[in-house]
Amino acid sequence: MGDHKEQPLRVGAAVRRRRRALELTLAVVAARCGLSVPFLSQIENDRARPSTSSLEKIADALRTTAVELLAAADPACSVDVVRADGTDPEPQPRTRSLVRGHHQMHASEFTGDHDAGREFQYRNDQLMYVADGAVEIEAEGRAYRLGRGDTLYLTGGVRHRWRAAESDTRVVVVAVAEHIEAVRDRPRR
């Protein structure tokens, strides 16, 4: 009851996000897929549900697939519970999404070690919260060590890297963006 899987998907937001990411107008997408602008607008606003055939045409126009659009669809609910997976007998490095679907907020939980060679840059603001253990973070040429209960706030665009300083570390990362880029370590000078 109330689980995410019971709710129908709203594909309109996924179509709109993809169209905007490609910087296309409704008119351009309509011309590419052979559907009307008003119908596409109704789909994007979840006032109409496209048939499988129409969704495939839209996906082609957006240079993606219908499967990808459905995977990026939002559940038609305002409350969603993501249950903890308690089947992991030993802590090992893993990442778990705390928010399903594509929303204005992205949250992940990192458990165990983390690849300190990866550098991250979020377009929008980010908050890191250490739930257990400790982390070492490098941002803007400074090093920070955070322990259990500590938080670090980074404004958008700040390149940073971090690593678990203890084996039982658990970090929650919340970002106000769906645009997250991970880049390989740059050579240091």
Side-chain angles (χ1 to χ4, degrees), residues 140-183:
E140 293 191 326
R142 293 186 63 191
Y144 304 89
R145 183 175 173 95
L146 303 178
R148 183 175 186 205
D150 291 342
T151 61
L152 177 80
Y153 181 85
L154 298 163
T155 57
V158 173
R159 287 183 179 266
H160 61 283
R161 71 181 84 239
W162 64 275
R163 72 174 193 84
E166 298 176 7
S167 62
D168 62 343
T169 296
R170 208 169 40 136
V171 177
V172 175
V173 177
V174 179
V176 183
E178 63 185 59
H179 306 289
I180 301 168
E181 301 170 9
V183 292

Short mmCIF file of all heavy atoms in Angstrom, two decimals, residues 140-183:
data_model
loop_
_atom_site.label_atom_id
_atom_site.label_comp_id
_atom_site.label_asym_id
_atom_site.label_seq_id
_atom_site.Cartn_x
_atom_site.Cartn_y
_atom_site.Cartn_z
N GLU A 140 38.13 23.57 -3.61
CA GLU A 140 38.74 24.88 -3.76
C GLU A 140 40.11 24.98 -3.10
O GLU A 140 40.42 25.95 -2.42
CB GLU A 140 37.81 25.98 -3.24
CG GLU A 140 36.56 26.14 -4.08
CD GLU A 140 35.78 27.40 -3.74
OE1 GLU A 140 35.75 27.80 -2.56
OE2 GLU A 140 35.19 27.96 -4.67
N GLY A 141 40.90 23.94 -3.26
CA GLY A 141 42.27 23.95 -2.74
C GLY A 141 42.40 23.74 -1.24
O GLY A 141 43.49 23.85 -0.70
N ARG A 142 41.32 23.47 -0.56
CA ARG A 142 41.37 23.25 0.88
C ARG A 142 40.88 21.85 1.21
O ARG A 142 40.04 21.29 0.52
CB ARG A 142 40.49 24.26 1.62
CG ARG A 142 41.03 25.68 1.49
CD ARG A 142 40.26 26.65 2.32
NE ARG A 142 40.38 26.33 3.74
CZ ARG A 142 39.65 26.88 4.68
NH1 ARG A 142 38.75 27.79 4.38
NH2 ARG A 142 39.80 26.54 5.95
N ALA A 143 41.42 21.28 2.28
CA ALA A 143 41.01 19.95 2.73
C ALA A 143 40.15 20.09 3.98
O ALA A 143 40.42 20.93 4.85
CB ALA A 143 42.24 19.11 3.02
N TYR A 144 39.11 19.28 4.04
CA TYR A 144 38.20 19.28 5.18
C TYR A 144 38.03 17.85 5.66
O TYR A 144 37.93 16.93 4.85
CB TYR A 144 36.82 19.82 4.78
CG TYR A 144 36.86 21.20 4.18
CD1 TYR A 144 37.03 21.37 2.81
CD2 TYR A 144 36.73 22.33 4.98
CE1 TYR A 144 37.06 22.64 2.25
CE2 TYR A 144 36.76 23.60 4.42
CZ TYR A 144 36.93 23.74 3.06
OH TYR A 144 36.96 25.00 2.50
N ARG A 145 37.98 17.65 6.95
CA ARG A 145 37.67 16.34 7.51
C ARG A 145 36.35 16.46 8.25
O ARG A 145 36.20 17.32 9.13
CB ARG A 145 38.77 15.85 8.45
CG ARG A 145 38.48 14.45 8.98
CD ARG A 145 39.63 13.92 9.82
NE ARG A 145 39.28 12.68 10.45
CZ ARG A 145 39.55 11.47 9.97
NH1 ARG A 145 40.20 11.35 8.83
NH2 ARG A 145 39.19 10.39 10.62
N LEU A 146 35.40 15.63 7.88
CA LEU A 146 34.08 15.65 8.50
C LEU A 146 33.85 14.35 9.24
O LEU A 146 34.18 13.27 8.73
CB LEU A 146 32.98 15.82 7.45
CG LEU A 146 33.05 17.04 6.55
CD1 LEU A 146 31.91 17.01 5.55
CD2 LEU A 146 33.01 18.32 7.35
N GLY A 147 33.26 14.43 10.42
CA GLY A 147 32.90 13.26 11.20
C GLY A 147 31.40 13.09 11.26
O GLY A 147 30.64 13.87 10.66
N ARG A 148 30.97 12.08 11.98
CA ARG A 148 29.55 11.76 12.10
C ARG A 148 28.75 12.99 12.51
O ARG A 148 29.08 13.69 13.46
CB ARG A 148 29.36 10.66 13.13
CG ARG A 148 27.93 10.24 13.25
CD ARG A 148 27.79 9.09 14.18
NE ARG A 148 26.39 8.67 14.13
CZ ARG A 148 25.79 8.04 15.08
NH1 ARG A 148 26.45 7.71 16.17
NH2 ARG A 148 24.54 7.69 14.97
N GLY A 149 27.69 13.27 11.74
CA GLY A 149 26.81 14.40 12.03
C GLY A 149 27.23 15.71 11.37
O GLY A 149 26.47 16.67 11.36
N ASP A 150 28.44 15.77 10.81
CA ASP A 150 28.91 17.00 10.16
C ASP A 150 28.31 17.12 8.75
O ASP A 150 28.00 16.13 8.10
CB ASP A 150 30.43 17.00 10.03
CG ASP A 150 31.15 17.13 11.36
OD1 ASP A 150 30.51 17.56 12.34
OD2 ASP A 150 32.34 16.79 11.42
N THR A 151 28.18 18.37 8.29
CA THR A 151 27.72 18.63 6.93
C THR A 151 28.68 19.58 6.23
O THR A 151 29.40 20.34 6.87
CB THR A 151 26.31 19.27 6.90
OG1 THR A 151 26.36 20.52 7.58
CG2 THR A 151 25.27 18.37 7.52
N LEU A 152 28.67 19.50 4.92
CA LEU A 152 29.44 20.42 4.08
C LEU A 152 28.52 20.89 2.97
O LEU A 152 27.85 20.08 2.34
CB LEU A 152 30.66 19.72 3.47
CG LEU A 152 31.49 20.58 2.51
CD1 LEU A 152 32.42 21.48 3.32
CD2 LEU A 152 32.30 19.71 1.58
N TYR A 153 28.46 22.19 2.77
CA TYR A 153 27.63 22.78 1.72
C TYR A 153 28.55 23.30 0.63
O TYR A 153 29.52 24.00 0.92
CB TYR A 153 26.80 23.92 2.31
CG TYR A 153 25.90 24.58 1.31
CD1 TYR A 153 24.64 24.05 1.03
CD2 TYR A 153 26.29 25.72 0.63
CE1 TYR A 153 23.80 24.65 0.11
CE2 TYR A 153 25.46 26.34 -0.28
CZ TYR A 153 24.22 25.80 -0.55
OH TYR A 153 23.40 26.39 -1.46
N LEU A 154 28.26 22.94 -0.62
CA LEU A 154 29.04 23.42 -1.75
C LEU A 154 28.11 24.16 -2.71
O LEU A 154 27.05 23.63 -3.06
CB LEU A 154 29.68 22.25 -2.51
CG LEU A 154 30.67 21.40 -1.73
CD1 LEU A 154 30.89 20.07 -2.42
CD2 LEU A 154 31.98 22.15 -1.60
N THR A 155 28.49 25.35 -3.13
CA THR A 155 27.68 26.04 -4.12
C THR A 155 27.95 25.41 -5.48
O THR A 155 28.96 24.74 -5.69
CB THR A 155 28.00 27.55 -4.18
OG1 THR A 155 29.39 27.72 -4.45
CG2 THR A 155 27.63 28.23 -2.88
N GLY A 156 27.03 25.62 -6.40
CA GLY A 156 27.14 25.04 -7.74
C GLY A 156 28.43 25.43 -8.42
O GLY A 156 28.91 26.55 -8.28
N GLY A 157 29.00 24.48 -9.15
CA GLY A 157 30.20 24.73 -9.92
C GLY A 157 31.51 24.44 -9.21
O GLY A 157 32.57 24.48 -9.83
N VAL A 158 31.48 24.16 -7.92
CA VAL A 158 32.71 23.90 -7.17
C VAL A 158 33.17 22.46 -7.45
O VAL A 158 32.45 21.51 -7.19
CB VAL A 158 32.51 24.09 -5.66
CG1 VAL A 158 33.74 23.66 -4.88
CG2 VAL A 158 32.18 25.54 -5.35
N ARG A 159 34.36 22.33 -8.00
CA ARG A 159 34.94 21.00 -8.22
C ARG A 159 35.43 20.48 -6.88
O ARG A 159 36.03 21.22 -6.10
CB ARG A 159 36.11 21.05 -9.20
CG ARG A 159 35.67 21.29 -10.62
CD ARG A 159 36.89 21.26 -11.54
NE ARG A 159 36.49 21.47 -12.90
CZ ARG A 159 36.24 20.49 -13.77
NH1 ARG A 159 36.38 19.24 -13.40
NH2 ARG A 159 35.87 20.76 -14.99
N HIS A 160 35.17 19.19 -6.64
CA HIS A 160 35.57 18.62 -5.36
C HIS A 160 35.75 17.12 -5.50
O HIS A 160 35.29 16.50 -6.44
CB HIS A 160 34.52 18.93 -4.28
CG HIS A 160 33.17 18.38 -4.59
ND1 HIS A 160 32.32 18.96 -5.51
CD2 HIS A 160 32.53 17.28 -4.13
CE1 HIS A 160 31.22 18.26 -5.58
NE2 HIS A 160 31.31 17.22 -4.75
N ARG A 161 36.46 16.56 -4.56
CA ARG A 161 36.63 15.11 -4.48
C ARG A 161 36.57 14.74 -3.01
O ARG A 161 36.81 15.57 -2.15
CB ARG A 161 37.94 14.66 -5.13
CG ARG A 161 39.18 15.04 -4.36
CD ARG A 161 40.47 14.60 -5.02
NE ARG A 161 40.84 15.59 -6.01
CZ ARG A 161 40.99 15.34 -7.30
NH1 ARG A 161 40.86 14.14 -7.77
NH2 ARG A 161 41.31 16.29 -8.13
N TRP A 162 36.21 13.48 -2.74
CA TRP A 162 36.15 13.05 -1.35
C TRP A 162 36.43 11.57 -1.26
O TRP A 162 36.36 10.85 -2.24
CB TRP A 162 34.80 13.41 -0.73
CG TRP A 162 33.61 12.74 -1.32
CD1 TRP A 162 32.90 13.14 -2.41
CD2 TRP A 162 32.98 11.55 -0.84
NE1 TRP A 162 31.86 12.29 -2.64
CE2 TRP A 162 31.89 11.30 -1.69
CE3 TRP A 162 33.22 10.70 0.22
CZ2 TRP A 162 31.04 10.21 -1.51
CZ3 TRP A 162 32.37 9.62 0.40
CH2 TRP A 162 31.30 9.39 -0.45
N ARG A 163 36.79 11.17 -0.04
CA ARG A 163 37.04 9.75 0.21
C ARG A 163 36.65 9.43 1.64
O ARG A 163 36.66 10.29 2.52
CB ARG A 163 38.49 9.37 -0.04
CG ARG A 163 39.46 9.88 0.98
CD ARG A 163 40.87 9.34 0.76
NE ARG A 163 41.71 9.59 1.90
CZ ARG A 163 41.76 8.82 2.99
NH1 ARG A 163 41.03 7.74 3.07
NH2 ARG A 163 42.56 9.12 4.00
N ALA A 164 36.29 8.16 1.84
CA ALA A 164 35.96 7.70 3.19
C ALA A 164 37.26 7.59 3.98
O ALA A 164 38.23 7.03 3.52
CB ALA A 164 35.26 6.35 3.12
N ALA A 165 37.27 8.14 5.18
CA ALA A 165 38.45 8.08 6.04
C ALA A 165 38.37 6.90 7.01
O ALA A 165 39.35 6.57 7.67
CB ALA A 165 38.60 9.39 6.81
N GLU A 166 37.20 6.28 7.11
CA GLU A 166 37.00 5.10 7.95
C GLU A 166 36.17 4.09 7.17
O GLU A 166 35.37 4.47 6.31
CB GLU A 166 36.26 5.49 9.25
CG GLU A 166 37.03 6.46 10.12
CD GLU A 166 36.23 6.91 11.34
OE1 GLU A 166 35.13 6.37 11.58
OE2 GLU A 166 36.71 7.82 12.03
N SER A 167 36.36 2.81 7.48
CA SER A 167 35.70 1.76 6.69
C SER A 167 34.18 1.73 6.83
O SER A 167 33.48 1.32 5.92
CB SER A 167 36.27 0.39 7.05
OG SER A 167 36.03 0.11 8.42
N ASP A 168 33.64 2.17 7.94
CA ASP A 168 32.19 2.11 8.15
C ASP A 168 31.48 3.41 7.79
O ASP A 168 30.40 3.70 8.28
CB ASP A 168 31.89 1.74 9.61
CG ASP A 168 32.42 2.79 10.59
OD1 ASP A 168 33.28 3.60 10.18
OD2 ASP A 168 31.99 2.79 11.75
N THR A 169 32.07 4.18 6.89
CA THR A 169 31.53 5.49 6.55
C THR A 169 30.26 5.39 5.72
O THR A 169 30.15 4.56 4.83
CB THR A 169 32.60 6.30 5.79
OG1 THR A 169 33.70 6.52 6.68
CG2 THR A 169 32.06 7.64 5.33
N ARG A 170 29.33 6.26 6.04
CA ARG A 170 28.08 6.40 5.29
C ARG A 170 27.82 7.88 5.09
O ARG A 170 27.73 8.63 6.07
CB ARG A 170 26.93 5.75 6.05
CG ARG A 170 25.84 5.24 5.18
CD ARG A 170 24.88 4.39 5.97
NE ARG A 170 24.65 5.01 7.26
CZ ARG A 170 23.46 5.13 7.82
NH1 ARG A 170 22.41 4.65 7.25
NH2 ARG A 170 23.33 5.71 8.99
N VAL A 171 27.73 8.31 3.83
CA VAL A 171 27.55 9.72 3.50
C VAL A 171 26.27 9.89 2.68
O VAL A 171 26.01 9.11 1.76
CB VAL A 171 28.75 10.24 2.67
CG1 VAL A 171 28.54 11.68 2.25
CG2 VAL A 171 30.04 10.10 3.45
N VAL A 172 25.49 10.89 3.02
CA VAL A 172 24.30 11.23 2.25
C VAL A 172 24.61 12.52 1.49
O VAL A 172 25.05 13.50 2.07
CB VAL A 172 23.07 11.44 3.17
CG1 VAL A 172 21.87 11.92 2.36
CG2 VAL A 172 22.74 10.15 3.91
N VAL A 173 24.40 12.46 0.16
CA VAL A 173 24.65 13.61 -0.70
C VAL A 173 23.32 14.05 -1.31
O VAL A 173 22.62 13.24 -1.92
CB VAL A 173 25.66 13.26 -1.82
CG1 VAL A 173 25.86 14.45 -2.76
CG2 VAL A 173 26.99 12.82 -1.23
N VAL A 174 22.99 15.32 -1.12
CA VAL A 174 21.75 15.88 -1.66
C VAL A 174 22.14 17.02 -2.60
O VAL A 174 22.89 17.91 -2.22
CB VAL A 174 20.83 16.41 -0.53
CG1 VAL A 174 19.56 17.01 -1.12
CG2 VAL A 174 20.51 15.31 0.46
N ALA A 175 21.63 16.96 -3.83
CA ALA A 175 21.94 18.00 -4.82
C ALA A 175 20.65 18.52 -5.43
O ALA A 175 19.72 17.76 -5.67
CB ALA A 175 22.84 17.44 -5.91
N VAL A 176 20.62 19.81 -5.69
CA VAL A 176 19.49 20.44 -6.34
C VAL A 176 19.81 20.53 -7.82
O VAL A 176 20.18 21.57 -8.32
CB VAL A 176 19.22 21.84 -5.77
CG1 VAL A 176 17.98 22.45 -6.40
CG2 VAL A 176 19.08 21.78 -4.27
N ALA A 177 19.76 19.38 -8.49
CA ALA A 177 20.06 19.34 -9.92
C ALA A 177 19.99 17.92 -10.41
O ALA A 177 20.19 16.99 -9.66
CB ALA A 177 21.45 19.89 -10.20
N GLU A 178 19.72 17.77 -11.69
CA GLU A 178 19.84 16.46 -12.29
C GLU A 178 21.10 16.40 -13.14
O GLU A 178 21.41 15.38 -13.71
CB GLU A 178 18.60 16.13 -13.12
CG GLU A 178 18.39 17.06 -14.29
CD GLU A 178 17.09 16.78 -15.01
OE1 GLU A 178 16.04 16.86 -14.38
OE2 GLU A 178 17.15 16.49 -16.21
N HIS A 179 21.83 17.49 -13.24
CA HIS A 179 23.04 17.53 -14.04
C HIS A 179 24.25 17.32 -13.16
O HIS A 179 24.73 18.24 -12.53
CB HIS A 179 23.17 18.88 -14.75
CG HIS A 179 21.96 19.22 -15.54
ND1 HIS A 179 21.63 18.57 -16.69
CD2 HIS A 179 20.98 20.12 -15.33
CE1 HIS A 179 20.51 19.08 -17.17
NE2 HIS A 179 20.10 20.02 -16.35
N ILE A 180 24.70 16.08 -13.08
CA ILE A 180 25.85 15.74 -12.25
C ILE A 180 26.91 15.17 -13.16
O ILE A 180 26.65 14.26 -13.93
CB ILE A 180 25.47 14.73 -11.16
CG1 ILE A 180 24.36 15.32 -10.29
CG2 ILE A 180 26.69 14.35 -10.32
CD1 ILE A 180 23.71 14.33 -9.38
N GLU A 181 28.09 15.73 -13.09
CA GLU A 181 29.16 15.26 -13.94
C GLU A 181 30.30 14.73 -13.09
O GLU A 181 30.72 15.39 -12.15
CB GLU A 181 29.69 16.41 -14.80
CG GLU A 181 28.61 17.02 -15.69
CD GLU A 181 29.06 18.30 -16.34
OE1 GLU A 181 30.26 18.64 -16.26
OE2 GLU A 181 28.21 18.98 -16.92
N ALA A 182 30.76 13.55 -13.40
CA ALA A 182 31.94 13.00 -12.74
C ALA A 182 33.06 13.00 -13.76
O ALA A 182 32.90 12.53 -14.87
CB ALA A 182 31.68 11.58 -12.25
N VAL A 183 34.19 13.56 -13.39
CA VAL A 183 35.32 13.62 -14.31
C VAL A 183 36.52 12.94 -13.66
O VAL A 183 36.66 12.94 -12.44
CB VAL A 183 35.68 15.08 -14.68
CG1 VAL A 183 34.57 15.70 -15.52
CG2 VAL A 183 35.92 15.93 -13.46
#
